[in-house]
Amino acid sequence: MQRLWFISNIRSGSATQAGCEAIEAVCAEKGLALAGRSRFPDDPLPDPAELDAARVDTLMLFAGDGTINAGLCHYADWDGAILVLPGGTMNLLAKTLHGDSAPADIIHAAHLRQHRVALPFAEAGRLRAFVGLIVGPAAHWVRAREAAREGRFARLLRAAMQAWRRTFGDHVRITGVPGLGRRYQAILATPGADGLAVAGIDARDWRAIIELGWDWLKGDWMAARAVTATRATDFTVVGRKPVLALFDGEPERLPPGTRIRGGMTRPFFLATQEPPP
């Protein structure tokens, strides 16, 4: 960890320009060279070849889970290390790697101890979720969540009403997971070292749908209660039309027949604590 490329997104939950300047000051204090700087999404993510040409050994990401997900997918085959700093609202991946440490403390600890770990993911083609994947009508709550974060209350109301209609009026089905054969409002897949924890969320009653909607507005899909939960190595989305899915909170459309499987990255994450098993 000597030559870094710094990628930030100050539109994320807790990332600010002042925070970026503080991180750069810590790097200067530790004698770490910043070979490049990208302000996502205004600046494009540099290609791996550009990082190699600049002799970068570590990519430093200061953003929310969605931006970090975009970076991790973009650099899946790059040979360097990746340092994730908490700059979003939930910061679930950063907490996995560093607990509740602040960015400055993470940089200090990572510089002292070059500890790389691999992490599990849920994958659908080129798309990966490192924190969690949700598939189905309940994923439409993401628009209400973003409106709430932005303080746009009229938009929040419209998005919430649409999400209610979608959640009650539609469903998702999957195959390949014993015990999950019926229709669900959402399928939640959480990656782990031994495969995927898969939960079918049934929101047919008002109590379940209110709880699910509230969890989405808070931004933590992991808090939603599963009616049926099990484990699997992979599963397939079935139906006749594309289904909305959220990869670490980022929306994508999955065509019918999409196979979702679990996997492991190579050990390229710098960690300052041991991730959970």
Side-chain angles (χ1 to χ4, degrees):
M1 186 168 146
Q2 295 297 325
R3 289 182 62 83
L4 288 72
W5 194 291
F6 185 20
I7 297 175
S8 64
N9 183 354
I10 60 172
R11 299 176 191 173
S12 297
S14 59
T16 62
Q17 182 58 38
C20 292
E21 293 170 359
I23 288 170
E24 292 182 7
V26 172
C27 290
E29 175 191 337
K30 304 300 292 183
L32 303 174
L34 286 183
R37 182 80 160 76
S38 299
R39 294 173 174 83
F40 187 82
D42 297 326
D43 298 331
L45 295 174
D47 290 332
E50 187 175 355
L51 300 182
D52 292 338
R55 295 181 292 110
V56 172
D57 56 61
T58 304
L59 189 71
M60 186 165 58
L61 290 163
F62 178 50
D65 287 317
T67 299
I68 289 171
N69 179 282
L72 297 181
C73 292
H74 190 70
Y75 300 108
D77 298 321
W78 183 57
D79 289 333
I82 293 181
L83 180 63
V84 174
L85 302 177
T89 303
M90 299 303 297
N91 300 313
L92 296 175
L93 188 60
K95 288 179 180 179
T96 296
L97 296 165
H98 314 297
D100 293 320
S101 298
D105 295 330
I106 293 170
I107 295 170
H108 281 295
H111 184 247
L112 289 173
R113 182 172 179 245
Q114 301 294 302
H115 178 50
R116 294 194 187 194
V117 299
L119 290 182
F121 57 78
E123 181 180 60
R126 62 178 180 81
L127 303 169
R128 288 182 176 181
F130 298 87
V131 176
L133 167 66
I134 189 166
V135 184
H140 288 273
W141 282 98
V142 68
R143 297 183 176 91
R145 185 193 69 189
E146 294 306 316
R149 286 179 177 176
E150 296 169 4
R152 301 174 64 175
F153 298 108
R155 181 183 169 193
L156 167 61
L157 180 60
R158 291 193 301 270
M161 292 177 64
Q162 182 185 40
W164 282 106
R165 290 193 296 268
R166 293 273 190 163
T167 307
F168 272 120
D170 208 348
H171 63 269
V172 64
R173 290 190 301 115
I174 64 172
T175 60
V177 181
L180 290 183
R182 59 185 180 182
R183 300 175 176 183
Y184 294 95
Q185 269 55 52
I187 297 294
L188 176 66
T190 306
D194 57 347
L196 301 172
V198 183
I201 299 173
D202 189 350
R204 297 178 186 180
D205 61 85
W206 283 99
R207 181 177 179 182
I209 189 63
I210 289 171
E211 181 182 80
L212 180 62
W214 179 246
D215 288 335
W216 270 106
L217 289 177
K218 291 190 299 181
D220 184 8
W221 63 88
M222 303 296 287
R225 293 194 181 186
V227 172
T228 306
T230 185
R231 302 200 68 84
T233 57
D234 63 87
F235 61 88
T236 301
V237 179
V238 297
R240 292 179 292 179
K241 58 183 180 179
V243 177
L244 184 64
L246 298 176
F247 290 77
D248 294 345
E250 293 300 297
E252 298 283 350
R253 289 279 180 180
L254 299 181
T258 297
R259 177 174 175 249
I260 296 167
R261 67 180 185 88
M264 290 289 293
T265 69
R266 61 181 178 80
F268 68 173
F269 291 96
L270 290 179
T272 55
Q273 71 170 22
E274 287 294 335

